[in-house]
Amino acid sequence: MSSAAQPLSHDPSWPRAGDWPPLGGDTDVDVAILGVPAWRTSLSPTGAHATPAAVRDALRRFSPALAPDRPLPDGGPSARVRPAAATGPAATGAVGSERGASSGRAGPVDLSRLAFADVGDVDEPDGAEGEARTRAAVRASLERARLLVALGGDNSVTVATALGAWGDDLGTAGLVTLDAHHDLRDGVSNGSPVRRLVEAGLDPTRVVQVGIADFANSAEYARRAVELGITVVHVDELRRRGPEDVMRAALEIAGAAGGPVHLDVDVDVCDRSVAPGCPASVPGGIAAWELRALVRAAAVDERLRTADIVEVDATADAPDGRTVRLAALCVLELAAGLALRVPGPEPVQV
């Protein structure tokens, strides 16, 4: 029996993430999960339509808790890699829905104190009619949720998710992609969402692409990114500066006009050993911890209203389900960032 198929243990003192209720009644929630199982326009053969259900299952392997911040004695500020501990509600693990809650903590932060809802899957999200259904589902969810997470599906999901979220704010919106690829291809496919969003009215100078890799893009599409004025952060630059610094700078650019920001989490930005279930992942991509740090750093910023997690083919994953598990952890990292939100970030220059 593979590790992915083994039954999970039960411990009342070790609650599991996931199994969130549907969005019902008049109560607003902090995080809404929406499945968008698009796959028909993928340039590579994919079973990505099976991934939303697989991610929901994988969530139950994890605890909805952040570990306490306990720096080594005499380590000084440089030894601390998590937010500084603080007194007050955050120090006791309380998580509220109020913006600007402290990110410091001396004890664990229980994400189950956030209100989650699973709004189900969009039916047949491919094609013009499917994208219209996706946009409508995103808009409806955001009327009730502080943060919407779309579970793909392939990368074509990004178009309808972002446009549904931005609505009349398209003129001031911004986009950050975590991706090895520019996604500026011609046509309609999982390789064209950024180009399609720009053609729909997104200002390309408020697009930041983090993790772009050598040998993963053509020279023509790389030139297109430059000509459009897109900010490109090569994977080497990401490693030099670190995830948190890069994401702070990316959000300053994407959010420069004061509009909502969408985060596209294309898991194929990761190394092939980390993400074998992504058809286009390559050796030399980023590590799992780097992706998780980028995602959490993005969600800490209240300009982020929506995110998608895409390009995972659950049917092609390793026997241990590592790619799907990483996608599930990205869901939890988004929730963690929401729980740790602080007042607006200081401007950072790229």
Side-chain angles (χ1 to χ4, degrees):
M1 179 184 296
S2 71
S3 61
Q6 292 175 357
L8 300 176
S9 63
H10 173 69
D11 181 345
S13 296
W14 209 100
R16 297 183 179 277
D19 285 337
W20 295 312
L23 189 61
D26 298 325
T27 304
D28 291 343
V29 298
D30 295 297
V31 183
I33 307 298
L34 173 68
V36 191
W39 64 282
R40 297 184 187 279
T41 64
S42 176
L43 296 170
S44 304
T46 185
H49 53 294
T51 301
V55 171
R56 290 181 174 103
D57 287 342
L59 280 164
R60 298 190 65 250
R61 294 188 167 274
F62 302 108
S63 161
L66 305 184
D69 183 14
R70 298 289 297 275
L72 293 172
D74 303 320
S78 63
R80 191 182 297 278
V81 296
R82 300 171 74 82
T87 59
T92 60
V95 176
S97 296
E98 295 80 6
R99 294 172 185 261
S102 172
S103 66
R105 59 190 185 278
V109 174
D110 187 354
L111 298 184
S112 65
R113 298 178 184 234
L114 292 172
F116 290 86
D118 189 332
V119 297
D121 288 358
V122 176
D123 182 50
E124 290 292 335
D126 287 294
E129 292 183 358
E131 290 190 349
R133 285 191 290 271
T134 302
R135 292 194 300 271
V138 169
R139 284 194 298 269
S141 298
L142 285 174
E143 291 177 358
R144 305 277 300 281
R146 296 170 65 202
L147 177 68
L148 172 74
V149 182
L151 304 178
D154 66 31
N155 215 156
S156 65
V157 164
T158 303
V159 177
T161 303
L163 290 178
W166 295 335
D168 293 339
D169 293 325
L170 173 61
T172 59
L175 174 69
V176 177
T177 72
L178 308 180
D179 199 337
H181 310 95
H182 288 296
D183 288 347
L184 291 168
R185 287 176 181 258
D186 296 324
V188 176
S189 71
N190 63 333
S192 64
V194 176
R195 193 210 83 244
R196 292 181 63 199
L197 287 172
V198 169
E199 290 181 352
L202 174 64
D203 185 342
T205 65
R206 291 196 297 276
V207 177
V208 184
Q209 301 191 305
V210 178
I212 296 297
D214 294 331
F215 314 119
N217 300 277
S218 71
E220 175 61 27
Y221 291 128
R223 281 191 288 268
R224 183 174 292 182
V226 173
E227 291 166 358
L228 286 170
I230 291 172
T231 299
V232 175
V233 182
H234 190 279
V235 65
D236 291 343
E237 178 72 357
L238 169 61
R239 289 175 176 139
R240 184 181 71 81
R241 292 184 59 167
E244 291 84 1
D245 185 39
V246 164
M247 184 53 68
R248 282 195 298 269
L251 289 167
E252 287 302 316
I253 294 170
V261 175
H262 177 77
L263 177 69
D264 169 30
V265 183
D266 183 340
V267 183
D268 73 19
V269 72
C270 289
D271 187 83
R272 186 78 182 161
S273 64
V274 170
C278 293
S281 61
V282 298
I286 71 174
W289 74 264
E290 291 174 303
L291 179 65
R292 291 175 58 184
L294 284 163
V295 169
R296 186 185 296 192
V300 165
D301 194 304
E302 63 182 22
R303 289 172 290 194
L304 190 81
R305 293 293 318 281
T306 51
D308 63 64
I309 302 171
V310 296
E311 285 300 313
V312 175
D313 177 357
T315 69
D317 205 359
D320 61 8
R322 69 187 68 174
T323 319
V324 170
R325 292 192 196 191
L326 178 57
L329 283 167
C330 286
V331 174
L332 295 178
E333 292 292 359
L334 287 163
L338 183 68
L340 299 173
R341 283 187 175 179
V342 296
E346 293 295 324
V348 178
Q349 300 297 319
V350 168

